Amino acid sequence: MMPKDLIVYITQYGYLAIFFLVFLQEIGAPNPIPNELVLLFSGYLIFMGVLSFPIVILSAVTADFIGSSLLHTTFYFSGSYLLQTKSKWLPIPIRTINKLMERTTKSGLSGIYIGRLTPFIRGYTSVIAGLLQIKSKTFLPIALVTASVWVTVYVTAGILLGPFWNHV
């Protein structure tokens, strides 16, 4: 369930709130609720006529793409240093990162597509792609396509759930 103050925040600030909340989670910052809920609620607001479908999609895809790109770039250029010093802010054990890197290496680019479409490991996929030194010209189109698909699916689900929102 979404906290009431967050509902008010998204309703009051609309597209800017959607952008900000999606962006924060994509760069790995703590977020009060998962992006999936932000997008579902945004879909509900579209259903209610408060927000516009194309602008919600544009806001969320842009936030996702910029956040993922920043995370990928950070780990592309300084990932090995960050892992060696293992900052306390890194919320995932090195062992898990190594496992994810091994899986991604085995599955290739399809692993990045799948990872970017999987809730809760989306951001880690950007980190892994950076650590594996996957070039931006390869990663960025994947990030854009997967952001577009992911955002559209969740926002559309929110629209479809609109009539049943109180039960959701």
Side-chain angles (χ1 to χ4, degrees):
M1 182 178 220
M2 286 184 54
K4 289 188 190 295
D5 54 341
L6 214 49
I7 290 171
V8 170
Y9 177 73
I10 293 171
T11 304
Q12 184 174 3
Y13 295 104
Y15 310 111
L16 184 60
I18 294 165
F19 179 91
F20 185 68
L21 290 169
V22 170
F23 176 77
L24 277 179
Q25 187 166 349
E26 290 306 315
I27 62 168
N31 203 346
I33 59 168
N35 282 344
E36 292 81 5
L37 289 178
V38 170
L39 296 174
L40 285 170
F41 184 66
S42 298
Y44 169 70
L45 292 176
I46 292 168
F47 169 78
M48 295 299 292
V50 175
L51 298 175
S52 165
F53 181 79
I55 300 174
V56 167
I57 298 297
L58 183 64
S59 300
V61 168
T62 302
D64 183 286
F65 181 73
I66 293 171
S68 298
S69 300
L70 286 172
L71 201 57
H72 171 263
T73 302
T74 299
F75 279 87
Y76 184 87
F77 289 108
S78 59
S80 58
Y81 172 77
L82 291 172
L83 287 179
Q84 287 172 357
T85 58
K86 178 74 168 74
S87 298
K88 291 180 182 180
W89 61 265
L90 195 61
I92 187 168
I94 299 294
R95 188 176 68 234
T96 304
I97 289 174
N98 289 334
K99 238 190 258 187
L100 287 170
M101 285 177 62
E102 188 178 305
R103 283 188 203 160
T104 304
T105 302
K106 285 181 185 174
S107 60
L109 294 180
S110 65
I112 294 171
Y113 275 103
I114 292 167
R116 291 273 310 137
L117 291 171
T118 306
F120 308 113
I121 65 166
R122 292 175 41 74
Y124 297 124
T125 305
S126 300
V127 169
I128 298 304
L131 289 172
L132 290 174
Q133 297 293 294
I134 294 173
K135 302 274 186 216
S136 292
K137 69 180 184 179
T138 302
F139 177 76
L140 294 180
I142 292 171
L144 184 58
V145 168
T146 55
S148 299
V149 168
W150 177 74
V151 165
T152 302
V153 165
Y154 277 97
V155 169
T156 302
I159 293 168
L160 295 173
L161 290 171
F164 313 102
W165 191 256
N166 291 333
H167 303 293
V168 175

